[in-house]
Amino acid sequence: MMSSSNRKTASFGVPWEKAYGYVQAVRLNNTIYVSGQLSHTPRGELVAPAALGADGKPADFSTMEAQMKRTYENAEVLLAELGATMADVVEETLFVLDVPSAFAASSKVRPLVYKQAVPQVASNLIGVSALAFPEQLIEIAFRAEVEG
């Protein structure tokens, strides 16, 4: 974690942070911005990667729920490092390769993550044509607000 007066950062140390050139999360005063998270281990191995077809794209979306769960777990780690929890999240943006499967998975996963039947968070669900890794089905970015 780096800090300069009212700015702190958090990262996992995975290879793509250096390759792309970014940190996983930034806390500036009382706001935490979490970069798009995906389902990976602390060492950078993808969790529940989608099987790829002959075209190099996901052949199915059956691992969406497992990827979503791990993605939220990674966000929780970063938020904790910067003094927050999922209860402090005010906005999330889900970038997904398949909207119907993400919608189905989110109805199961999000209430557990936020510990509410209807999570009290602004949420955006956006279908995209590709993500950073071919086996990746989902990426989630967050904004959290914490008390001084």
Side-chain angles (χ1 to χ4, degrees):
M1 181 186 318
M2 295 179 62
S3 126
S4 69
S5 65
N6 59 354
R7 182 186 186 103
K8 297 176 184 172
T9 63
S11 290
F12 286 118
V14 290
W16 52 87
E17 292 169 355
K18 186 175 182 183
Y20 184 72
Y22 74 108
V23 295
Q24 294 288 344
V26 175
R27 178 175 176 169
L28 183 60
N29 300 319
N30 297 338
T31 303
I32 299 171
Y33 304 91
V34 180
S35 298
Q37 295 301 298
L38 56 121
S39 64
H40 64 82
T41 66
R43 295 188 329 187
E45 298 143 335
L46 290 179
V47 173
L52 300 179
D55 62 357
K57 295 183 178 181
D60 70 62
F61 301 96
S62 61
T63 61
M64 178 71 77
E65 186 175 336
Q67 283 195 22
M68 186 179 290
K69 284 179 183 176
R70 184 55 186 247
T71 299
Y72 278 109
E73 289 171 14
N74 288 344
E76 287 180 48
V77 168
L78 294 166
L79 289 167
E81 190 170 332
L82 296 176
T85 68
M86 293 304 291
D88 298 307
V89 172
V90 295
E91 182 179 31
E92 64 178 14
T93 301
L94 292 77
F95 301 95
V96 301
L97 293 187
D98 185 70
V99 172
S101 61
F103 195 84
S106 67
S107 67
K108 297 175 187 173
V109 176
R110 292 179 69 250
L112 296 174
V113 169
Y114 289 106
K115 298 174 178 52
Q116 296 177 304
V118 178
Q120 300 300 294
V121 58
S123 184
N124 310 291
L125 179 61
I126 301 170
V128 297
S129 61
L131 293 165
F133 299 103
E135 304 86 358
Q136 183 183 352
L137 302 176
I138 184 168
E139 181 171 314
I140 310 174
F142 303 85
R143 185 168 58 87
E145 294 289 333
V146 294
E147 296 294 321

